[in-house]
Amino acid sequence: MIHEPPLLTVRRHFPRPTAAQLAAVAAATTGWLVDAQNGRGSLGPRIKPLFPDDPKLSRCSGTVLTCWCGPDDNLALTAAVALARPGDVIVAAAEGFEGSAVCGDLLAGMMRNKGIAGLVVDGAVRDIAGLREVGLPIFACAVNPASCVRSGPGTVGLPVVVGGRAVASGDLLLADADGVVTVPLADADAVLARLAEIEAAEAGTLAKVRSGLEVPDGVEALLASDRVRWVD
């Protein structure tokens, strides 16, 4: 190469959700947000809360700040911590690498001190006892005491792919015991408008289940119709 590549490529300014949009996401569940996106939005089954037994540490929401670390490196994550605003959730793309941890209790403590709402990474973290004491919601694929390097290159604020889903800074994020869901900022108003309808439908069905409902609506009518071929 004629010139050395930059260690970091950073986008500092990007559109952000409104306070009302953030509040609506915070009041939802990941399942509702997926339903409101026609079954889409999940970052996959591997990324789970590090402390599922603690309600305070197994739920977070906020504005996404992305970083791409690549495998076995956390330079971009440290830069994201420096650039994050209070209430941001850092989404770190490690390309699914679990051979070393990109975050431990010391870096997580700095995130907490900055008011960062949570960390989502498609890789590993370490120092699990210290991370519990820090009290930051963390969603990761694995725990591994091996340490990574901090050499770059990496990006902050640019689009990444995590769990097979494209994620951009400024997207909305909700993470709970079921996993992590994002909503593209451009789709936020349409998705959030559907939440009330979905919540009402869920509440109605739940009431029926608690009253003794045994079969989903419409199934018995389907079984009685000519759309079913019986082979017994």
Side-chain angles (χ1 to χ4, degrees):
M1 292 183 291
I2 298 176
H3 302 290
E4 290 293 329
L7 291 182
L8 290 170
T9 302
V10 178
R11 183 187 183 192
R12 291 178 293 179
H13 307 295
F14 49 84
R16 288 175 169 269
T18 65
Q21 290 171 330
L22 289 169
V25 166
T29 70
T30 51
W32 294 351
L33 283 181
V34 166
D35 291 347
Q37 296 181 86
N38 299 314
R40 310 287 293 179
S42 170
L43 300 192
R46 293 177 57 224
I47 303 176
K48 294 296 184 184
L50 191 61
F51 303 107
D53 59 317
D54 189 328
K56 292 183 179 179
L57 300 183
S58 58
R59 183 179 177 88
C60 71
S61 64
T63 302
V64 169
L65 175 62
T66 60
C67 63
W68 173 73
C69 298
D72 194 32
D73 198 296
N74 75 347
L75 179 65
L77 177 56
T78 61
V81 174
L83 296 168
R85 298 183 186 180
D88 285 351
V89 178
I90 295 179
V91 176
E95 298 186 0
F97 184 74
E98 300 176 7
S100 63
V102 299
C103 182
D105 56 355
L106 298 180
L107 187 57
M110 298 175 202
M111 295 183 198
R112 177 203 61 200
N113 293 345
K114 284 210 67 175
I116 293 169
L119 170 66
V120 174
V121 57
D122 63 344
V125 297
R126 72 175 194 175
D127 306 326
I128 191 166
L131 290 174
R132 185 184 287 275
E133 183 178 348
V134 166
L136 181 78
I138 294 176
F139 294 74
C141 294
V143 176
N144 189 340
S147 58
C148 68
V149 299
R150 186 174 294 174
S151 58
T155 68
V156 179
L158 298 178
V160 297
V161 175
V162 175
R165 180 167 172 82
V167 183
S169 290
D171 288 351
L172 296 103
L173 180 145
L174 175 65
D176 61 20
D178 285 345
V180 183
V181 173
T182 60
V183 178
L185 182 57
D187 301 337
D189 286 339
V191 170
L192 296 178
R194 297 192 63 198
L195 278 180
E197 174 187 347
I198 290 168
E199 183 178 2
E202 289 269 344
T205 302
L206 179 60
K208 292 179 181 179
V209 171
R210 288 175 173 171
S211 297
L213 181 67
E214 296 181 353
V215 180
D217 290 342
V219 173
E220 290 183 336
L222 171 64
L223 293 176
S225 73
D226 59 3
R227 300 298 303 276
V228 175
R229 180 168 65 94
W230 301 91
V231 295
D232 55 340

